[in-house]
Amino acid sequence: MQIARVALDVPLHRFFDYLVPEGEVLGTAEIGLRVRVPFGQKSRIGIIADLAQSSDFPVAQIKQIEAVLRDLPALPADWFRLCEFCAAYYQAPLGEVMLSTLPAGLRRIDPPKARTSHRLPKLPPLHEPPPLTAEQQTALATIAANGRGFTAYLLHGVTGSGKTEVYLRRVEQALAAGQQVLLLVPEINLTPQLEARVAARFPSAGLVSLHSELTDAARTRNWRAALDGSARIVLGTRLAVFTPMPDLGLIVVDEEHDSSFKQQDGMRYSARDVAVFRARERGVPIVLGSATPSLESWANATDSRTPARYTLLTLYERAVKNARLPVVQRIDTRLEKLQDGLSGALLLAIEKRLVRGEQSLVFLNRRGYAPVLTCTCCGWISHCHRCAANLVLHLADGRLRCHHCGYECRVPKACPTCGNQDIQPFGRGTQRLEVALSERFPQARILRVDRDSAKSRKQWETLVEQIYAGEADILVGTQMLAKGHDFPKLTLVGTLGADAALFAADWRAPERLFAQLMQVAGRAGRAELAGEVLIQTQFPDHPLYASVVRHDYPAFANEQLREREQAGFPPYAYQAMLRAEAPQMADSLAYLAAARSWPQAAEHGDVMLYDPVPMRLARRANLERAQLLAESSSRRALQNFLGEWRKRLEAIKAPARLRWHLEVDPLEF
Ligand code: ADP
Ligand code: ZN
Ligand code: ZN
């Protein structure tokens, strides 16, 4: 009798025993193959995780494997270790982790038919790579000096400093050594650009991309190519960090600070952190690149008290000869009456660009026309009845929308409470800014770029093409536009409403603001045309802005780290957040209180449990939400605690409609 331990996509922290069918003899070579097994009333796809000669269950109860699937090579051992690490670290069921990282097609009983021919993208003409700058050479030499084993590098370089070129040169070396390369980027929007660049440089590397917008069949095909080794480069978003790659020799994480690397539901993992674990486990180098590294990575690379965990590589200057960093100025908005939120200096600067035929970008990270609609008579405001939040006015299509739960309705003609017809938008979003700018500059071609105007991939690509082609004079955009794109004619960036993040309750807000300002500033003047950035603020003396003006990330980061250390915040503490949601807040809080009053918690003296509190957005989609923070100065102590605590959490009796989850290393509060 042979027993296979099978990983299944169920929320239980164990494998399931099945009998190996008569006539099949499985050995270690078969561990990692998919199987079809009966489970409950249905069949499911699972993965053989282990083999045994006996089971703890009575043989009569053990069902038999229906089929051993050999359409794919077995998943490799290091892939198992990666999943095991994630399951343990993020307190997630191992079977769920394993199956959820597979493309949907490979988890299904009836997989989609793989088409034989596919995907070849049009390649731009090959051109010679540029000779490296001295800084790039130094960075590459440092990487080379450390050899092929594990080292984590933090490549800190201002926007346009040629980080990507450094990655590509190192990729070239890995390919030449017969290795596979994993390139991670935060957003799908950034993949086509990098994909084109990588494909042009390495036309025969069988580059595949992996992200959520691919069809099931395409994702399956690309994933399979990575597993069977025919794809030598995999370019993907966060889930791609789990791609099995037998010859993996290098990992690159571009824009490593970006919060898109954090998965926000299911297993809430950080693809960046998982990538570092994977590189260490595989014994291969990893390069984390950013103009504004996460403070965690910066501390890892610069903390002088512990031997640096990451090796810091710095590119101080833009790579293209004579390309200067933009001049950043603060506009003190206390000193004048703004016109539709726009200062005289910004309006004048836009006008100059119009005359010169250059582009301007006005950055406001709030979509819609106005964040709320109000009645000037009775004080009514547009509230979402499902959330503790306001409905946002979208005048472009006459709707009120909740940005949290998706509820929407028509804009009322009069106040629903008192009938007053004079209801007014309050505050300003991108749509309102667009209207104001078109009234002020009627001759200008204005393009709004936010999640409303770029709903689909096609719309987004069309907008980007229009900008490239110079078919717009003024861009109004949210953070969608802040990242990664070189627009050759863009020479002016103005930012509105940045101050809110300075005093936000979330202590990570300044870090995000700094990154955003540097990113958006990086859009201005990338090529021959010098750039100018105007930051409208009521707090021009704030040290954060002073660092932005000097393009001085290290000054900003070091100051932030000092504050974090004093306050005992990460990266000087390790955290996990337990969240509960239920129709009634009392139930959510009661669950957390039960979680907190656990006698064994005392045995984990290094772990502190805070009081349960309602979340900032206390109600979303009719569910009332609360959270409880667990914290320790030791990652290990926290991990030991969480493993035990999770069992306790699963045992607490809770109302049927209550849901809870545990998030390790939470980013948002
Ligand atoms: P980053 O990734 O740091 O934003 P990129 O690698 O995209 O920077 O480089 C920015 C620009 O500089 C690109 O247009 C790139 O082609 C160019 N570039 C990069 N390295 C060099 C170099 N050594 N010489 C000339 N141009 C370069
Ligand atoms: Zn009213
Ligand atoms: Zn809502």
Side-chain angles (χ1 to χ4, degrees):
M1 178 180 74
Q2 198 180 20
I3 301 288
R5 304 245 144 88
V6 175
L8 289 172
D9 189 5
V10 292
L12 293 174
H13 291 260
R14 62 183 190 85
F15 295 137
F16 295 82
D17 286 2
Y18 285 91
L19 286 170
V20 175
E22 300 265 326
E24 288 262 15
V25 180
L26 304 185
T28 46
E30 276 79 22
I31 292 181
L33 284 182
R34 277 147 54 252
V35 286
R36 195 175 73 226
V37 294
F39 189 85
Q41 305 294 333
K42 291 183 298 191
S43 295
R44 283 184 186 238
I45 296 294
I47 298 167
I48 302 177
D50 204 358
L51 295 168
Q53 296 308 320
S54 65
S55 169
D56 294 341
F57 294 90
V59 178
Q61 286 178 19
I62 304 180
K63 294 179 187 161
Q64 185 171 306
I65 291 175
E66 291 168 0
V68 178
L69 306 177
R70 297 175 195 274
D71 56 337
L72 271 188
L75 289 155
D78 72 313
W79 179 86
F80 273 88
R81 285 196 296 277
L82 184 67
C83 292
E84 280 160 13
F85 162 78
C86 288
Y89 188 80
Y90 294 109
Q91 304 297 328
L94 180 53
E96 221 174 69
V97 173
M98 288 179 167
L99 273 299
S100 68
T101 68
L102 260 49
L106 297 174
R107 279 179 265 156
R108 282 214 304 266
I109 299 295
D110 51 341
K113 286 238 162 45
R115 275 167 296 161
T116 41
S117 68
H118 64 272
R119 219 199 57 89
L120 276 177
K122 260 186 286 161
L123 295 183
L126 274 178
H127 40 204
E128 284 291 300
L132 295 178
T133 65
E135 287 181 344
Q136 286 170 325
Q137 274 174 25
T138 306
L140 273 165
T142 308
I143 298 176
N146 284 315
R148 286 194 199 163
F150 170 73
T151 308
Y153 300 93
L154 179 61
L155 176 58
H156 170 230
V158 297
T159 48
S161 59
K163 295 184 289 297
T164 309
E165 188 59 40
V166 173
Y167 309 148
L168 295 181
R169 296 298 178 104
R170 185 59 186 79
V171 168
E172 188 178 359
Q173 294 168 7
L175 295 177
Q179 297 176 320
Q180 285 176 299
V181 177
L182 176 60
L183 289 176
L184 296 175
V185 290
E187 283 194 34
I188 297 171
N189 281 340
L190 300 181
T191 53
Q193 244 193 344
L194 189 60
E195 196 175 344
R197 204 163 151 188
V198 177
R201 185 67 66 87
F202 308 110
S204 56
L207 169 70
V208 295
S209 64
L210 283 171
H211 53 72
S212 59
E213 273 186 15
L214 295 177
T215 62
D216 217 15
R219 224 188 119 205
T220 302
R221 189 176 54 230
N222 292 354
W223 192 89
R224 183 192 299 260
L227 175 59
D228 72 21
S230 55
R232 308 311 291 172
I233 305 179
V234 173
L235 170 66
T237 51
R238 61 176 177 261
L239 190 59
V241 74
F242 295 102
T243 314
M245 297 172 70
D247 303 322
L248 181 66
L250 171 70
I251 304 179
V252 174
V253 182
D254 192 24
E255 309 288 357
E256 66 89 30
H257 66 282
D258 199 294
S259 59
S260 303
F261 283 120
K262 187 74 195 274
Q263 169 79 16
Q264 297 292 5
D265 51 32
M267 178 171 72
R268 291 166 162 77
Y269 63 93
S270 153
R272 188 221 23 241
D273 295 350
V274 172
V276 173
F277 170 84
R278 185 171 184 181
R280 181 181 295 122
E281 169 73 28
R282 275 293 296 233
V284 301
I286 179 168
V287 183
L288 310 174
S290 176
T292 52
S294 65
L295 290 179
E296 280 78 3
S297 295
W298 185 250
N300 276 330
T302 61
D303 197 323
S304 55
R305 286 161 307 176
T306 53
R309 273 176 273 190
Y310 295 176
T311 299
L312 182 64
L313 310 168
T314 310
L315 306 177
Y316 296 94
E317 288 181 0
R318 287 195 158 177
V320 174
K321 262 213 191 68
N322 299 326
R324 300 250 172 281
L325 286 169
V327 175
V328 182
Q329 283 175 328
R330 291 155 283 191
I331 310 287
D332 188 344
T333 55
R334 294 169 306 183
L335 304 178
E336 64 174 303
K337 190 166 177 307
L338 300 180
Q339 306 166 48
D340 300 306
L342 297 157
S343 63
L346 180 53
L347 287 168
L348 195 66
I350 294 175
E351 203 164 317
K352 273 195 208 154
R353 293 332 186 269
L354 288 174
V355 171
R356 298 208 296 249
E358 297 167 12
Q359 283 173 334
S360 310
L361 161 63
V362 185
F363 178 78
L364 173 62
N365 208 9
R366 190 194 287 143
R367 66 197 171 90
Y369 186 86
V372 67
L373 190 63
T374 62
C375 171
T376 49
C377 196
C378 75
W380 170 85
I381 60 172
S382 56
H383 232 358
C384 177
H385 62 283
R386 294 153 45 96
C387 304
N390 294 330
L391 293 173
V392 176
L393 176 62
H394 285 249
L395 217 50
D397 56 358
R399 311 290 284 175
L400 288 174
R401 281 208 180 88
C402 177
H403 287 188
H404 298 286
C405 72
Y407 171 82
E408 58 177 277
C409 59
R410 243 188 308 142
V411 176
K413 292 206 164 57
C415 171
T417 313
C418 75
N420 170 28
Q421 303 215 338
D422 185 24
I423 46 176
Q424 294 287 342
F426 187 83
R428 182 172 296 102
T430 45
Q431 290 179 8
R432 192 171 194 171
L433 193 56
E434 180 189 13
V435 171
L437 284 164
S438 59
E439 280 166 4
R440 206 154 282 278
F441 302 108
Q443 77 285 19
R445 296 162 302 172
I446 300 178
L447 211 58
R448 173 167 55 85
V449 184
D450 56 26
R451 264 203 289 138
D452 298 309
S453 69
K455 272 208 189 79
S456 70
R457 165 139 217 95
K458 188 105 204 87
Q459 284 171 322
W460 163 255
E461 278 166 6
T462 307
L463 286 170
V464 169
E465 273 164 28
Q466 277 177 287
I467 302 172
Y468 267 99
E471 287 166 17
D473 303 309
I474 305 176
L475 316 173
V476 176
T478 58
Q479 60 178 359
M480 264 193 115
L481 257 193
K483 295 178 192 174
H485 278 276
D486 290 341
F487 298 125
K489 286 196 148 181
L490 182 71
T491 59
L492 171 70
V493 171
T495 75
L496 272 54
D499 287 344
L502 293 178
F503 308 104
D506 186 341
W507 46 266
R508 282 190 214 267
E511 179 181 356
R512 282 195 288 267
L513 173 63
F514 187 89
Q516 209 163 62
L517 289 174
M518 294 297 278
Q519 292 282 339
V520 77
R523 301 306 117 226
R526 302 257 298 185
E528 306 78 34
L529 296 169
E532 183 181 10
V533 178
L534 302 178
I535 300 174
Q536 292 194 174
T537 172
Q538 296 192 39
F539 305 92
D541 300 326
H542 196 285
L544 186 148
Y545 292 133
S547 305
V548 175
V549 166
R550 297 195 314 268
H551 301 275
D552 194 349
Y553 168 82
F556 167 76
N558 295 336
E559 175 57 29
Q560 280 284 310
L561 283 177
R562 202 158 33 240
E563 286 176 21
R564 297 250 186 118
E565 186 167 22
Q566 274 167 11
F569 286 152
Y572 303 100
Y574 300 91
Q575 299 182 326
M577 189 69 90
L578 175 64
R579 298 196 187 89
E581 58 180 34
Q584 304 292 329
M585 180 60 81
D587 288 332
S588 302
L589 288 170
Y591 180 85
L592 297 181
R596 187 169 189 272
S597 69
W598 178 49
Q600 281 85 328
E603 292 165 19
H604 300 268
D606 292 335
V607 178
M608 157 126 176
L609 292 179
Y610 286 76
D611 282 331
V613 288
M615 287 173 63
R616 191 132 33 91
L617 182 65
R619 195 157 64 97
R620 191 176 70 185
N622 283 331
L623 291 173
E624 305 203 324
R625 315 167 339 135
Q627 63 187 24
L628 184 171
L629 182 67
E631 189 179 87
S632 175
S633 59
S634 151
R635 193 194 287 274
R636 183 174 301 260
L638 183 65
Q639 278 291 313
N640 289 340
F641 168 78
L642 291 178
E644 296 300 312
W645 200 36
R646 180 184 46 76
K647 293 176 203 153
R648 154 79 179 162
L649 297 177
E650 284 166 353
I652 295 174
K653 282 228 159 44
R657 291 197 55 200
L658 183 135
R659 294 278 172 278
W660 61 268
H661 71 257
L662 198 53
E663 177 171 0
V664 180
D665 303 329
L667 278 188
E668 275 167 44
F669 287 83

